[in-house]
Amino acid sequence: MRRSFVSLFMVLAIGGTIGSLAYPVFYSYPHRFDAVKAAIADPGPLVSTPWGPLSAADRDLVVQVALDGLWETSAGRQAVEEAPTKEIKDAGGQLVTGHTALDKRVRTVAKDLAITLPTQPTSEQQGWLAQLTAAQDGEYRQLFANLLREEHGRIFQQLAQVRSSTRNTLVRDLATVTNRTELAHISALEKTGYVDFDTVARNATASPASTPTVLPAPSAP
């Protein structure tokens, strides 16, 4: 009887030890992204700058303008060199001209506000460029016009939101200039005659604006 009791006690002790070791693993696995989610949900306080407070949304817009310029300039150059129609070539030329000018402006703004800019398109944007490279003739015309038109529409929404709420004069000016450039590009893409407005409207309603990369808040100057 005493031996059975000792055996039972040892089994319970071993089980308790295993349970105490396993609990952190089983608990932490479903919660492994909690810290990341919290950081995204609360990107931090406003940063004081000589041009007014700088918010996370302000920083995100600056980064997004730079990202769009990286891949849209490449798409535009490809269209100028390889597009099968004059309309697509003209639209591509406007993308190159507009984003070349915007790139200079966004770099100046980022330097003043101590924002680190990306040096290459996102993996998703690189995928879009790969799709355009692989497309042929009619497929290329449709893909170029509609893909670029949808993406311009998404940042157009983001520009409006930040432009109406920012208290930073540099970001406000950048949003204003970018808004004009994006609208000119939208018009050029629509003039190609290949934009499927039903699909663009449906996708704009079904999916929210793209979420830009969130960078750490810069230190106050």
Side-chain angles (χ1 to χ4, degrees), residues 74-118:
S74 296
R77 286 174 180 159
Q78 182 187 70
V80 171
E81 296 171 1
E82 304 177 14
T85 66
K86 181 179 183 301
E87 293 82 4
I88 297 295
K89 287 180 182 291
D90 290 345
Q94 289 206 38
L95 291 180
V96 173
T97 301
H99 281 292
T100 298
L102 271 181
D103 181 69
K104 294 178 181 178
R105 193 178 191 103
V106 77
R107 287 180 182 278
T108 299
V109 171
K111 181 178 180 181
D112 288 339
L113 297 177
I115 297 174
T116 302
L117 295 181

Side-chain angles (χ1 to χ4, degrees), residues 68-69 71-76 78-79 88 91-92 95-96 99 125 128-129 132 140-156 182 185-190 192 195 200:
D68 285 352
W71 92 272
E72 289 176 20
T73 300
S74 296
Q78 182 187 70
I88 297 295
L95 291 180
V96 173
H99 281 292
Q125 292 169 337
W128 295 335
L129 289 170
L132 289 170
Y140 176 85
R141 296 195 295 267
Q142 296 291 333
L143 183 62
F144 179 89
N146 289 279
L147 178 58
L148 271 298
R149 172 60 179 81
E150 286 188 28
E151 290 311 303
H152 277 77
R154 289 192 179 99
I155 193 172
F156 208 59
E182 294 292 316
H185 292 172
I186 286 173
S187 298
L189 291 164
E190 292 174 349
T192 64
V195 174
V200 169

Side-chain angles (χ1 to χ4, degrees), residues 57 61 154-166 209:
L61 180 67
R154 289 192 179 99
I155 193 172
F156 208 59
Q157 298 175 41
Q158 183 183 358
L159 285 165
Q161 293 172 354
V162 174
R163 176 63 179 80
S164 65
S165 62
T166 185

